[in-house]
Structures are given as C-alpha cells and as structure tokens.
Amino acid sequence: MYPPDQAILICVALTPAAIGQWKALYNGRSVGVTRAIPFATTFIDLSCRMEMWVRGPFDYLHYYLSRDLLERIALDNAVASSIQLREVFFVEDLVVAQMTKNILSPVKNGEPLDRLELDQIATVLGAHTLQTHCGAPKFAVPSRRGLEPWQKLRTEEMLRAHLEGNITIKELAAACSLSASHFGRCFRKSFGTSVHQRLIQLRIEHAQHLLLRTNNTLVDIALLSGFCDQAAFSRTFSRIEHMTPSCWRRVNSG
C-alpha cells in the first residue's frame, strides 16, 4: 500500500512488465499492465489511495515530483497552478524514456548525478508532466532575448567556481534576478545549450588548460575539472574531442 502524499510519482519499468505481473486498486478502480513495452511509464497521484500487487521480480526507476515543485514550475511559466493529474498506466512516453536512458548511462558507470543535473531533470520532467498529463495550457511564449551581458558573466563565473556541479538552477537564477524557468530559457538563448551541457563544456575547457599548462596526472586533472574520477573524465573527453585526454595532450603539446 502506498502512503498518501502531496506528490506525483512517475514509475518507469526498466524491464518490460508482463501482462498480469502487476495490478493495483487505484482510487477505487482496478488497473494493471495492458501491454509489455520497454520503458513503460506510469503516472500516479500519491494523494489517491492505492494498493499494489506484484508477481515476480521487477526493476523500476521512480521519479518523485512534489506538488510544491509542480506549482513553482506552473507559476514560472504563467499557467494554471491547480494540478489535476490524468493518471495513466504502462504507456509509451518518449520524453520520460529518453530522460531515463540519459540518467542510467552515467549511473551504470558509477558516476554520481550532480545537483545541477538533478535540478534540470526535475524542471524538465515537471514541465512535461504538467503539459502532457495535467491538462496545462501551452506555456508562455519564450522570451526572444537572452541573458544580459552582466548576467552571462555572472553565470559563467558561478559555473566555473562550481565545476563539480554542486549548485542549483535556482541559485544561478537568483544571482541574475530571474525566476528559474525564465533563467533557463534565457540561458539557452544566450549559449545555445542547457546549463548542464555548458557546465560540461567548461569542465573540458579547464581540463584542456591543465593538460597543456601543467604536468598533473590525469587523475588530478579529472578531479580539478569537476569529474568524479579519471574514468568519467576520459569518457566525456573522448566523446567530445574524439580522442583520449592523453592523446590530446600529445597532439597539442607542441
């Protein structure tokens, strides 16, 4: 039995659940698996009473979205803050599936998710839930203007000072005197990418500087550039530069 809570729970079946493997009594009605598909997604309102039965092993990733978070996202985007979830069970949701795949990739390699990345996941997933499953109208038209020059400079300074990602969108937005959602839209307009992707770019830039200007080991460079370990640094560097850090150092040392 799920305890009642003022939140929405998104359940993603990492291993396809067979028909008849899962059933529940949700808000007085019987529900269950209708078809076995990869990354089948379920949206439920935890304020509704639910009892659940599972037969056999299962593997899920759960996203917990508090109503406070959803109301904050709604307010930032000038849409109705009254949240009425349209519950769905074991459906195909490409946005949630892709976000889950992106999360599982580093986690399987032992890389922690930093605060900045988790913050962005929560914001995007909350906005998707409001618009797709809560009947929220289309969000306000994004501003065509990006960050002011001083806001860009301040944001870059803060990201460079927190290369490990131990900072939130809310903190960056507050430093620019903007709401979190408005900041995110302006940031993408100015930099052409998300805040977390820009953070990764800054990590690589810092690592390249250390590779050329110091004799530090790859382990030290990885940690100084905000990566959790050398393996995570090498994977990210190779993906972006199409060569390993050691090779890049040799090619560019002259």
Side-chain angles (χ1 to χ4, degrees):
M1 183 181 296
Y2 273 61
D5 196 358
Q6 294 301 309
I8 287 172
L9 191 68
I10 304 174
C11 316
V12 183
L14 304 184
T15 302
I19 295 175
Q21 183 185 14
W22 183 97
K23 66 177 182 177
L25 187 64
Y26 175 83
N27 208 23
R29 63 188 177 97
S30 296
V31 294
V33 182
T34 54
R35 56 187 179 135
I37 57 174
F39 294 94
T41 304
T42 296
F43 289 76
I44 59 175
D45 187 339
L46 288 179
S47 66
C48 296
R49 180 180 175 84
M50 184 170 110
E51 297 178 17
M52 176 184 80
W53 294 265
V54 179
R55 179 185 293 114
F58 58 93
D59 189 9
Y60 285 83
L61 178 64
H62 285 180
Y63 298 97
Y64 174 94
L65 303 178
S66 71
R67 284 189 176 269
D68 285 343
L69 169 68
L70 294 171
E71 287 172 357
R72 213 160 47 237
I73 294 173
L75 182 62
D76 284 346
N77 288 279
V79 298
S81 59
S82 57
I83 300 166
Q84 296 295 326
L85 178 71
R86 295 193 297 263
E87 303 86 357
V88 291
F89 298 86
F90 293 90
V91 298
E92 185 178 60
D93 190 309
L94 297 181
V95 172
V96 176
Q98 188 57 54
M99 289 185 68
T100 302
K101 292 174 185 177
N102 292 343
I103 290 170
L104 292 178
S105 179
V107 169
K108 285 181 177 178
N109 291 316
E111 300 175 29
L113 295 172
D114 56 59
R115 288 176 64 197
L116 185 60
E117 186 171 9
L118 286 170
D119 209 25
Q120 285 202 168
I121 291 169
T123 302
V124 173
L125 193 56
H128 172 69
T129 300
L130 285 172
Q131 195 165 54
T132 308
H133 297 286
C134 294
K138 290 184 177 181
F139 289 168
V141 177
S143 171
R144 295 187 178 182
R145 296 182 58 186
L147 297 172
E148 299 291 339
W150 72 268
Q151 292 171 325
K152 290 181 63 176
L153 180 62
R154 180 64 178 141
T155 300
E156 290 256 278
E157 287 176 346
M158 293 179 70
L159 288 177
R160 290 182 191 278
H162 296 84
L163 287 176
E164 78 291 344
N166 191 26
I167 193 170
T168 65
I169 297 290
K170 185 178 180 180
E171 290 168 336
L172 294 170
C176 296
S177 301
L178 297 172
S179 70
S181 294
H182 188 55
F183 170 80
R185 292 193 295 268
C186 291
F187 186 96
R188 186 175 286 276
K189 183 68 176 178
S190 293
F191 290 95
T193 189
S194 68
V195 182
H196 191 257
Q197 286 302 312
R198 181 55 184 157
L199 176 68
I200 292 175
Q201 292 172 359
L202 293 175
R203 286 175 178 172
I204 297 299
E205 289 176 10
H206 187 65
Q208 289 172 334
H209 173 79
L210 295 176
L211 286 168
L212 291 181
R213 304 296 181 184
T214 73
N215 293 319
N216 290 353
T217 65
L218 293 184
V219 173
D220 289 338
I221 290 175
L223 298 178
L224 290 170
S225 301
F227 293 93
C228 62
D229 55 32
Q230 181 182 340
F233 166 51
S234 296
R235 278 193 298 270
T236 304
F237 192 97
S238 299
R239 174 172 56 82
I240 293 175
E241 296 296 331
H242 307 292
M243 64 177 74
T244 65
S246 297
C247 182
W248 190 93
R249 182 180 241 172
R250 289 195 301 272
V251 170
N252 293 277
S253 60

